[in-house]
Amino acid sequence: MRARTALLLASAVPTVLTAACAALEAGCWELAVSRNEIRLSPKPRPSCSDCKGEGGWWSEGPYPGGEICWCWDRPTHRLRLLPVRDPWPDEPPF
């Protein structure tokens, strides 16, 4: 029973990761993982009719500047990770 459960779990993890990556690509999100946080940032939508997937445009006139498209103006989600404690805090780093 335990071997069957372990085998099922081992085969489910890659499937879930593949489905999560496909969902991130379809929803135009970028996943960044570091030692301190997991960040989910928006990307411009390729099907946007206003910016055509570029995320914004440059305005003309006496004060030119970039403007961001509505399809990219979404919040960034962050999950802060707890720092890992050093098992040997008194030992020198060399």
Side-chain angles (χ1 to χ4, degrees), residues 2 4 17 19 21 27-28 31 33 47 49 61 66-68 74 76 83 87:
R2 288 185 181 170
R4 182 178 173 191
L17 287 176
C21 289
C28 299
L31 179 67
V33 179
S47 62
S49 61
E67 294 196 26
I68 194 168
R74 294 176 282 171
T76 299

Side-chain angles (χ1 to χ4, degrees), residues 58-65:
W58 288 96
S59 61
E60 301 286 329
Y63 304 107

Side-chain angles (χ1 to χ4, degrees), residues 2-61:
R2 288 185 181 170
R4 182 178 173 191
T5 305
L7 183 62
L8 182 62
L9 183 61
S11 65
V13 169
T15 305
V16 169
L17 287 176
T18 304
C21 289
L24 286 173
E25 284 298 317
C28 299
W29 291 93
E30 180 181 7
L31 179 67
V33 179
S34 71
R35 183 176 177 180
N36 300 322
E37 70 180 358
I38 300 172
R39 183 179 46 214
L40 196 59
S41 304
K43 292 187 338 186
R45 297 174 196 240
S47 62
C48 179
S49 61
D50 293 335
C51 69
K52 296 174 183 52
E54 296 197 15
W57 53 86
W58 288 96
S59 61
E60 301 286 329

Side-chain angles (χ1 to χ4, degrees), residues 78-90:
R78 295 178 185 191
L79 178 63
R80 301 262 334 195
L81 302 175
L82 295 175
V84 178
R85 289 183 31 164
D86 189 9
W88 298 284
D90 299 337

